[in-house]
Amino acid sequence: GVLNQQFYANRQYVPSVVLFVSTVFKYYRPETVQEYIPHTLALFDHLAFTKPLDHEGFSLLASCVDNWKYANLQSEMNHIWQTIFRRLSAGKTNKFIKNLVLWLSRCALVFQKHSSEGIETFLQQIEQMQAGLLEMLFRNAILPSLEWFVHKADRELVIVAMTSMLLTSESLLSNCSLWRDSFVSLCRLVEKNKNTPPSEPLRENVGRELIAVKSATLASCEFERTIHVSGDPAETFMRMLNAFTANQTEAKLSAIASLPTSVRTFIGL
């Protein structure tokens, strides 16, 4: 079948396979979707370690996040993260990191949509794999990549997801230095986004290696704005920040006190 490894080992077929599987997840009956999940994870494992095609792996994951049942997402997330961390250990590229951060942002917001504790569940699954893994992911992948998102559509997704993670997760708040560094980076991103003209193009030019693949799914982590990001991200940031500061706890007071004066001025505290 389409998900036979011998078939998708031919790189020219990969975009079509990803598109087909995404269609199955979106339109087919739940029992059919269930049958495809193990084969889909095997395909992602393959694509994650095929550098010219790893963006297709994140396209596949984006479809999973958007269309799988929440229970399936929770149960399979450990497998997905294991593959991602193995690839990060084997060798990371800017393209892989950028797609990872976009997918992670999308995933966090989908978890939040399903449950009030969704983001905490999402982050805890990472930390439970190995102590310190969540901080490593933030410091080595997420925070260094924030300057790379030059287009508003990407930036706005990351802003809303980062805001939701930092202002709702006890796991992040309990690590004061990580929370502070992440929040400072988020404020820079919010300010940068405010100063970006709305007429800015939404998509980057496709790199040479991607053009060669002739992929129909190059916008691998393009998100549905109406679902994941509603309204102005700066307004979302301030609304959630006001809710965060309104319910003061010792951990929150300590985190806010650790912020540089310039950041406290920026957020009006």
Side-chain angles (χ1 to χ4, degrees):
V2 170
L3 284 175
N4 184 300
Q5 188 169 358
Q6 290 182 326
F7 182 78
Y8 60 70
N10 187 327
R11 294 185 180 185
Q12 66 178 332
Y13 295 145
V14 167
S16 298
V17 173
V18 170
L19 200 56
F20 171 76
V21 175
S22 300
T23 302
V24 169
F25 289 151
K26 190 169 185 177
Y27 296 110
Y28 283 45
R29 294 176 301 177
E31 53 268 30
T32 304
V33 168
Q34 198 71 33
E35 292 173 6
Y36 271 79
I37 288 177
H39 302 292
T40 300
L41 293 174
L43 174 57
F44 173 67
D45 293 346
H46 170 76
L47 294 176
F49 286 88
T50 309
K51 288 185 180 180
L53 294 173
D54 54 22
H55 61 285
E56 293 288 1
F58 283 108
S59 178
L60 192 65
L61 289 188
S63 177
C64 299
V65 167
D66 285 351
N67 297 295
W68 283 3
K69 291 181 179 179
Y70 186 49
N72 286 338
L73 264 183
Q74 287 180 293
S75 63
E76 303 299 349
M77 197 56 66
N78 195 56
H79 178 112
I80 292 169
W81 278 118
Q82 284 179 348
T83 299
I84 287 172
F85 283 117
R86 281 193 292 112
R87 166 60 202 273
L88 288 173
S89 298
K92 59 186 179 182
T93 62
N94 288 355
K95 176 167 78 86
F96 185 85
I97 294 292
K98 186 174 180 181
N99 275 311
L100 167 60
V101 173
L102 287 172
W103 171 78
L104 181 153
S105 299
R106 181 178 187 151
C107 201
L109 294 178
V110 169
F111 266 68
Q112 183 183 48
K113 178 186 171 187
H114 280 286
S115 166
S116 59
E117 298 294 321
I119 283 184
E120 187 67 13
T121 299
F122 176 65
L123 296 175
Q124 278 294 322
Q125 283 186 303
I126 301 171
E127 186 64 15
Q128 286 168 4
M129 292 175 65
Q130 181 181 320
L133 204 54
L134 182 61
E135 180 168 5
M136 185 276 286
L137 181 66
F138 266 76
R139 293 200 181 279
N140 295 349
I142 298 174
L143 299 186
S145 74
L146 295 183
E147 294 299 317
W148 304 346
F149 297 104
V150 297
H151 296 296
K152 286 182 75 73
D154 290 344
R155 247 197 330 265
E156 289 177 353
L157 172 61
V158 175
I159 286 171
V160 174
M162 285 280 288
T163 299
S164 298
M165 287 189 284
L166 289 170
L167 300 183
T168 65
S169 169
E170 293 294 331
S171 298
L172 291 176
L173 189 61
S174 64
N175 186 335
C176 190
S177 64
L178 176 61
W179 188 92
R180 179 195 64 231
D181 295 344
S182 301
F183 190 80
V184 169
S185 296
L186 172 60
C187 288
R188 288 199 196 102
L189 202 61
V190 171
E191 186 174 31
K192 182 177 182 179
N193 197 60
K194 281 183 178 179
N195 297 328
T196 303
S199 59
E200 183 185 45
L202 293 182
R203 295 191 184 182
E204 297 180 51
N205 292 327
V206 178
R208 287 182 181 176
E209 65 175 343
L210 304 191
I211 289 175
V213 178
K214 296 181 180 177
S215 171
T217 55
L218 284 176
S220 57
C221 285
E222 184 178 358
F223 61 99
E224 297 180 40
R225 183 183 176 85
T226 54
I227 294 176
H228 300 304
V229 180
S230 56
D232 180 10
E235 292 177 4
T236 300
F237 171 78
M238 289 309 302
R239 185 180 70 252
M240 293 191 71
L241 180 63
N242 289 336
F244 177 82
T245 55
N247 179 23
Q248 294 187 347
T249 64
E250 186 176 339
K252 290 180 181 179
L253 290 171
S254 176
I256 292 169
S258 72
L259 294 172
T261 303
S262 58
V263 173
R264 292 205 300 273
T265 301
F266 174 74
I267 61 177
L269 293 176

